[in-house]
């Protein structure tokens, strides 16, 4: 079988790496891919949002399945374009992708189907939004309605801070049209966790639980990033809470998808806030998380290709999805300056040695080849994932491996998964 993977980050490297282990997969293409992905897949240089060109390629190469990593092509309708031409694709259609691409759509959907979430109000007018924020006081959360590459959410401590965020989004148009509308939301307290599930629109099967680390510095300080590391399982998501998530979030989600006749074949990701044995949904994503995938997929025991094909063909109920016992920890190494400005083109050393260590995989995010050397090419450069019998040993091994990798300006958090260690109380 031939597979095309869309995307070029750490999540896509983990997908490609997993596909490379499948007995049924003979050839993998990735668009655009990166230096690490190139080890297992032929990287192709087509515009990711030119669905006509991608479809021509799929027809020409007789590709059996396309798997979409990032949200943008999904929001632009890649899955609809492929299915219209009778092509198998893993990812929801554009109408369902609004669950991620429009925060107000997502919140209204949660309200329609009784999915627990923070109280909120949607505003098109800056003046009305500011009045409301002053009335409510801080802390309060401001969200740009549209896609803003993970930067469109501000947790404001005071109404003044909230006002600044509103101006930034609505008046200065920092995120363009994405900030024309905003969601103003009650600020929730608790611990966050990521709950992802495979679904073909009829059956829902959860993935192993995980947690990511959004802030750039240790102890959750500094600005938000795309994610600085992840681990699986997340002890905060007890079996009880996972059952509760299935009951209160995933079942109503599925009812909503059916009632609104949305074509959902892929992964649904619920960002959860957990407190006192209860939970609320912070956001939906319509794809696998990054860097959660780099921690979770290595723990998958079942053939990922088989699952993805079954999902895309609406046969998920036939699949048994099994997970390896134990745990995994993924530590992200980022470029100096990230999540702000950073330089590219820094040579990376120590990759081969790290990859040879037991139970270690290095997933590339922003890397490229230059003069036959692997160099940095993005903010998040790579993630070192280690598997182990428990979080503690996986964590030790991941940190042992990452200390051997070097590039100019490299930084990484030293406390990934520290929260999940048994001697910590939370
Ligand atoms: P989102 O993209 O909606 O998940 O927001 C990004 C991050 O902002 C989340 O992972 C949380 O850390 C934080 N956040 C979002 N909504 C809220 C909320 N209602 N209360 C507290 N923190 C929030
Ligand atoms: N790790 C959060 C996300 O993928 O959106």
């Amino acid at each position: 079988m031939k597979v095309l993977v869309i995307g070029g980050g750490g999540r896509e490297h983990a997908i490609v790496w997993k596909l490379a282990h499948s007995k049924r997969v003979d050839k993998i293409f990735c668009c655009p891919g990166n230096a690490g992905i190139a080890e297992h897949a032929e990287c192709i240089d087509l515009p990711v949002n030119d669905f006509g060109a991608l479809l021509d390629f799929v027809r020409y190469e007789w590709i059996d399945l396309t798997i979409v990593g990032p949200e943008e092509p999904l929001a632009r309708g890649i899955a609809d374009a492929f299915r219209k031409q009778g092509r198998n694709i893993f990812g929801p259609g554009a109408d369902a992708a609004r669950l991620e691409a429009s925060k107000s759509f997502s919140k209204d959907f949660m309200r329609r189907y009784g999915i627990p979430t923070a109280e909120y109000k949607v505003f098109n007018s800056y003046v009305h939004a500011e009045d409301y924020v002053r009335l409510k006081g801080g802390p309060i959360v401001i969200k740009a309605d549209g896609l803003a590459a993970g930067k469109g959410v501000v947790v404001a401590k005071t109404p003044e801070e909230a006002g600044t965020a509103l101006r930034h989004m609505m008046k200065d148009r920092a995120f363009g049209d994405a900030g024309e509308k905003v969601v103003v939301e009650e600020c929730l307290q608790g611990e966050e966790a990521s709950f992802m599930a495979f679904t073909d629109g009829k059956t829902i099967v959860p993935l192993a639980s995980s947690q990511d680390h959004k802030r750039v510095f240790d102890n959750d300080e500094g600005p938000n990033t795309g994610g600085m590391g992840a681990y699986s399982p997340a002890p905060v998501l007890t079996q009880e809470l996972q059952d509760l998530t299935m009951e209160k979030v995933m079942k109503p989600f599925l009812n909503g998808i059916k009632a609104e006749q949305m074509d959902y074949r892929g992964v649904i990701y619920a960002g959860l806030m957990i407190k006192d044995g209860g939970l609320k949904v912070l956001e939906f994503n319509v794809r696998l998380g990054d860097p959660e995938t780099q921690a979770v997929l290595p723990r998958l025991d079942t053939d990922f290709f088989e699952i993805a094909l079954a999902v895309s063909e609406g046969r998920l109920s036939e699949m048994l999805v099994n997970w390896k016992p134990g745990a995994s920890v993924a530590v992200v190494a980022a470029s100096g300056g990230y999540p702000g400005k950073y330089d590219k083109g820094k040579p990376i050393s120590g990759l081969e040695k790290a990859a040879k260590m037991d139970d270690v995989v290095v997933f590339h995010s922003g890397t490229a080849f230059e003069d036959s050397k692997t160099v940095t090419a993005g903010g998040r450069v790579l993630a070192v994932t280690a598997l182990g019998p428990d979080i503690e040993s996986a964590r030790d091994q991941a940190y042992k491996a990452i200390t051997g990798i070097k590039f100019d300006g490299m930084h990484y958090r030293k406390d990934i998964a520290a929260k999940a260690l048994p001697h910590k109380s939370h």
Side-chain angles (χ1 to χ4, degrees):
M1 294 277 190
K2 285 181 168 183
V3 187
L4 168 65
V5 176
I6 305 289
R11 165 185 48 213
E12 288 76 25
H13 191 182
I15 292 171
V16 163
W17 173 83
K18 202 71 193 167
L19 291 170
H21 287 82
S22 168
K23 284 196 190 82
R24 293 193 60 199
V25 174
D26 310 304
K27 172 93 189 168
I28 309 167
F29 295 95
C30 190
C31 175
N34 64 36
I37 289 173
E39 248 182 66
H40 303 290
E42 185 176 328
C43 296
I44 58 168
D45 190 18
L46 287 172
V48 177
N49 290 314
D50 185 344
F51 306 149
L54 289 173
L55 271 166
D56 283 345
F57 181 78
V58 160
R59 271 190 293 262
Y60 180 76
E61 287 289 345
W62 296 84
I63 285 166
D64 300 284
L65 173 67
T66 300
I67 299 177
V68 187
E71 61 279 13
E72 201 192 329
L74 293 169
R76 287 173 181 252
I78 189 171
D80 311 281
F82 271 54
R83 286 187 194 120
K84 221 175 267 167
Q85 301 288 325
R87 295 287 161 181
N88 275 330
I89 186 160
F90 181 88
D95 53 353
R98 281 180 298 166
L99 286 171
E100 176 166 1
S102 165
K103 300 265 188 212
S104 60
F105 176 84
S106 187
K107 296 290 289 189
D108 292 346
F109 180 92
M110 291 188 230
R111 190 180 271 168
R112 277 201 294 285
Y113 297 101
I115 297 171
T117 190
E119 284 305 315
Y120 71 102
K121 241 174 136 69
V122 181
F123 293 95
N124 290 299
S125 141
Y126 166 74
V127 176
H128 291 161
E130 229 208 347
D131 279 352
Y132 181 74
V133 160
R134 253 197 241 118
L135 184 80
K136 284 283 178 185
I140 195 155
V141 182
I142 312 292
K143 298 182 171 183
D145 185 60
L147 290 177
K151 296 190 184 107
V153 175
V154 174
V155 181
K157 290 197 187 77
T158 61
E160 291 70 38
E161 242 180 74
T164 307
L166 287 173
R167 268 193 301 282
H168 190 57
M169 289 175 195
M170 301 185 90
K171 291 211 146 168
D172 307 342
R173 296 179 58 83
F175 309 117
D177 292 347
E180 245 170 31
K181 213 195 277 188
V182 295
V183 174
V184 180
E185 197 173 289
E186 163 202 10
C187 185
L188 299 176
Q189 312 292 331
E191 189 166 348
E192 288 183 48
S194 310
F195 190 104
M196 298 188 279
F198 295 115
T199 183
D200 59 1
K202 296 174 280 188
T203 304
I204 282 211
V205 179
L207 277 77
S209 66
S210 58
Q211 193 169 53
D212 79 348
H213 298 63
K214 289 212 163 88
R215 303 299 189 100
V216 68
F217 300 128
D218 286 14
N219 302 315
D220 295 331
E221 282 171 20
N224 263 334
T225 69
M228 293 298 288
Y231 60 93
S232 171
V236 63
L237 267 178
T238 55
Q239 190 55 51
E240 226 173 5
L241 277 170
Q242 293 185 48
D243 295 346
L244 194 67
T245 310
M246 285 302 282
E247 195 55 39
K248 299 276 184 208
V249 180
M250 292 301 161
K251 276 196 193 152
F253 157 80
L254 206 52
N255 290 340
I257 289 301
K258 282 183 194 154
E260 302 193 13
Q261 296 178 339
M262 289 173 180
D263 192 338
Y264 209 114
R265 295 179 238 175
V267 164
I268 177 75
Y269 165 132
L272 303 176
M273 187 70 99
I274 293 161
K275 196 180 170 215
D276 302 333
L279 54 87
K280 286 188 176 168
V281 176
L282 289 174
E283 62 165 343
F284 278 129
N285 292 326
V286 297
R287 50 165 175 87
L288 286 161
D290 188 337
E292 288 93 328
T293 303
Q294 293 92 306
V296 168
L297 275 193
R299 294 193 55 222
L300 180 62
D301 214 15
T302 310
D303 186 333
F304 179 65
F305 171 77
E306 298 276 9
I307 299 172
L309 189 66
V311 163
S312 77
E313 291 178 345
R315 299 183 286 101
L316 181 57
S317 63
E318 294 171 10
M319 291 298 301
L320 265 182
V321 177
N322 292 316
W323 299 91
K324 294 177 188 159
S328 62
V329 173
V331 182
V332 168
S335 294
Y338 174 81
K341 276 200 182 132
Y342 54 83
D343 289 333
K344 295 182 184 176
K346 309 283 184 198
I348 309 170
S349 65
L351 287 170
E352 274 174 31
K353 200 167 149 223
K356 280 195 192 118
M357 287 173 63
D358 287 343
D359 302 316
V360 170
V361 204
V362 180
F363 293 122
H364 294 221
S365 303
T367 67
F369 280 129
E370 233 175 64
D371 303 329
S372 66
K373 271 193 287 215
T374 305
V375 300
T376 65
R380 288 187 294 171
V381 174
L382 51 88
V384 176
T385 297
L387 289 163
D390 49 39
I391 289 275
E392 198 157 11
S393 42
R395 185 172 186 266
D396 286 349
Q397 187 72 344
Y399 276 111
K400 210 182 281 169
I402 204 168
T403 49
I405 296 175
K406 301 227 164 10
F407 54 86
D408 196 22
M410 166 171 158
H411 65 100
Y412 57 90
R413 277 180 64 159
K414 311 289 188 300
D415 66 343
I416 301 301
K419 265 197 270 210
L421 294 176
H423 58 269
K424 296 273 170 140
S425 56
H426 55 278

